[in-house]
Amino acid sequence: MGQAKASMDLQLIRQSAHDFAETYIRPNVMEWDEAQHFPIDLFHQMGQHGFLGVLVPEVYGGAGLNYQAYITVIEEIAKVCGSIGLSVAAHNSLCTNHILSFGTEEQKQKYLPLLASGEWIGAWGLTEPNTGSDAMRMQCVATRDGDHFVLNGAKCWITHGISGHVAVVIARTGDLLDSRGMTAFIVERGTEGFKAGKKENKLGMRASETAEMIFDNCRIHESQVLGKEGDGFIQAMKILDGGRISIAALSLGIAKGAYEASVKYAKERQQFGQPIANFQGISFKLADMATKIEAAELLTRQAGHLKDNGEKLTKQAAMAKYYASEVCVAVSNDAVQIHGGYGYTKDFPVEKFYRDSKLCTIGEGTSEIQKLVISREALKEV
């Protein structure tokens, strides 16, 4: 009975996210993409529908749902627009979840209702201009000065780096290469010495804002430290475990969107007197796409199940993220091929799925980093 109810609840969540995406996102997808417009008003709306506090308990104004629901929300939104799916993922999994996972009761009560409602947009800063995968060499430094820290440096590739109202920022408070030498801070927009830098001009995900955050003698009170001083890097790695599930879900949504567009086109497009879906060259492509998507979904749902049950998921989350993101690129590539010349135009949706897909193999740990994580975990088990 419990399983049947959970399944029904998931269907209601899927329908809700689907309806929202069709009504409020689909009509604007290409306009936002062309203009690189981050639709902040849409995010305030999404907050009212519970999509920005999916994992946040109801006591803090969130929806209080689990990772299976969260995967479903991102997937349905990404089927329509990868950019919006990416921003929803970053807001939920990174900034909001970091405060939920490691914040004090006072920090949670202050920030989570604002983030879950969509009144505030969240950002999360780990990456720097010269430290992407090699995060332990970060140059962004926070120096203690009485009951404050003085933060200097820059973070780059930050989702909502300009529009975010609050950011969780990981900075070095100890020695270089010391995994216990970094600390996480909550920094509000408007704090003196904190400003936005350059906005990136991207291949895809163009309606999801990506920009620098710059800190110039930015004074942060010690009450804004998340968890213990020195725990920032360890916290970040745990947050990325969950974040990888969200990128797997994002990949899954983009792949499904590209696949569904391809099936529709293959049934409608006539060549040699019949629909191209009748030709083995096309039907076998669709078979491969469908199989890969199914496998990616099973890996993603498995990682979500482990997360919901509080079990170790480092390997499974990395596998889900790695496989789903690579599938996303492969399926989007095949979708353009099935559409032929039309697939190369902006009149059909698959060229955008193709452009958006590539980010999934890079963000929150490249495919190469996922393989590093998977192999390390696998070697421990044998």
Side-chain angles (χ1 to χ4, degrees):
M1 186 71 181
Q3 199 168 0
K5 183 184 183 302
S7 179
M8 194 182 299
D9 289 347
L10 211 55
Q11 281 306 112
L12 290 171
I13 291 159
R14 184 178 295 282
Q15 193 63 49
S16 172
H18 170 84
D19 292 347
F20 183 92
E22 291 295 333
T23 305
Y24 298 106
I25 300 174
R26 191 177 292 282
N28 305 295
V29 166
M30 291 314 294
E31 182 188 334
W32 292 339
D33 182 75
E34 293 282 323
Q36 297 197 67
H37 171 66
F38 174 59
I40 198 161
D41 290 343
L42 176 83
F43 280 77
H44 298 323
Q45 266 182 299
M46 283 199 285
Q48 291 162 19
H49 282 75
F51 301 145
L52 298 188
V54 181
L55 304 165
V56 175
E58 290 178 32
V59 68
Y60 301 118
L65 299 172
N66 64 10
Y67 259 78
Q68 296 301 336
Y70 179 45
I71 290 165
T72 302
V73 166
I74 292 177
E75 180 195 316
E76 285 299 322
I77 291 170
K79 274 164 77 171
V80 174
C81 181
S83 293
I84 305 305
L86 173 63
S87 276
V88 170
H91 175 94
N92 275 286
S93 284
L94 300 179
C95 179
T96 305
N97 195 42
H98 201 141
I99 295 171
L100 175 63
S101 300
F102 298 105
T104 63
E105 187 58 34
E106 189 180 353
Q107 288 168 341
K108 290 183 202 176
Q109 286 181 9
K110 181 177 180 181
Y111 293 109
L112 292 179
L114 291 165
L115 290 163
S117 68
E119 188 177 337
W120 280 20
I121 306 297
W124 192 79
L126 178 67
T127 303
E128 297 180 6
N130 294 311
T131 57
S133 302
D134 188 12
M136 287 212 298
R137 291 183 195 272
M138 67 171 57
Q139 298 298 312
C140 193
V141 175
T143 309
R144 186 177 269 284
D145 180 20
D147 59 359
H148 281 74
F149 286 85
V150 181
L151 185 57
N152 281 289
K155 296 291 179 179
C156 67
W157 308 113
I158 308 304
T159 306
H160 314 143
I162 296 168
S163 299
H165 299 81
V166 63
V168 171
V169 180
I170 294 92
R172 191 154 57 80
T173 49
D175 294 333
L176 202 66
L177 299 179
D178 179 5
S179 64
R180 295 276 178 189
M182 286 157 275
T183 302
F185 299 89
I186 304 172
V187 190
E188 292 184 26
R189 185 72 60 187
T191 303
E192 192 175 347
F194 174 27
K195 64 178 183 179
K198 173 192 166 194
K199 180 180 175 178
E200 301 298 340
N201 183 4
K202 308 193 300 285
L203 168 72
M205 301 292 194
R206 289 165 63 84
S208 177
E209 178 186 275
T210 307
E212 291 177 315
M213 296 191 302
I214 298 166
F215 304 94
D216 182 10
N217 289 324
C218 178
R219 290 179 66 80
I220 306 160
H221 193 265
E222 62 187 5
S223 63
Q224 297 298 96
V225 170
L226 265 169
K228 292 178 186 173
E229 185 179 339
D231 279 357
F233 182 78
I234 287 92
Q235 291 173 10
M237 293 305 104
K238 288 176 181 172
I239 293 301
L240 284 172
D241 274 350
R244 283 166 183 157
I245 299 173
S246 71
I247 300 299
L250 175 68
S251 304
L252 193 58
I254 292 170
K256 283 188 178 183
Y259 169 73
E260 287 172 12
S262 299
V263 170
K264 181 174 182 288
Y265 182 82
K267 286 178 175 178
E268 292 171 356
R269 172 70 167 167
Q270 297 268 334
Q271 290 288 275
F272 306 102
Q274 57 185 307
I276 63 170
N278 290 355
F279 300 122
Q280 193 177 84
I282 300 298
S283 64
F284 277 20
K285 264 195 196 324
L286 292 170
D288 281 339
M289 292 158 84
T291 304
K292 288 172 182 172
I293 288 169
E294 193 81 9
E297 178 150 25
L298 287 167
L299 276 171
T300 306
R301 293 284 174 187
Q302 180 199 30
H305 174 77
L306 292 172
K307 182 73 175 168
D308 282 335
N309 286 281
E311 295 178 45
K312 184 170 167 57
L313 73 148
T314 300
K315 184 179 79 172
Q316 283 77 10
M319 282 179 167
K321 196 272 187 190
Y322 165 55
Y323 186 75
S325 65
E326 294 291 343
V327 162
C328 176
V329 172
V331 167
S332 300
N333 182 47
D334 282 344
V336 172
Q337 194 70 20
I338 287 168
H339 281 71
Y342 290 112
Y344 207 66
T345 71
K346 292 183 183 290
D347 296 330
F348 286 78
V350 291
E351 67 83 31
K352 182 176 181 296
F353 286 127
Y354 185 51
R355 287 185 291 108
D356 288 349
S357 69
K358 190 59 200 162
L359 183 276
C360 298
T361 68
I362 298 167
E364 294 197 37
T366 61
S367 290
E368 291 73 21
I369 287 294
Q370 304 312 317
K371 287 196 256 191
L372 188 65
V373 171
I374 294 161
S375 60
R376 277 179 181 169
E377 293 297 315
L379 288 166
K380 287 178 192 172
E381 296 168 358
V382 178

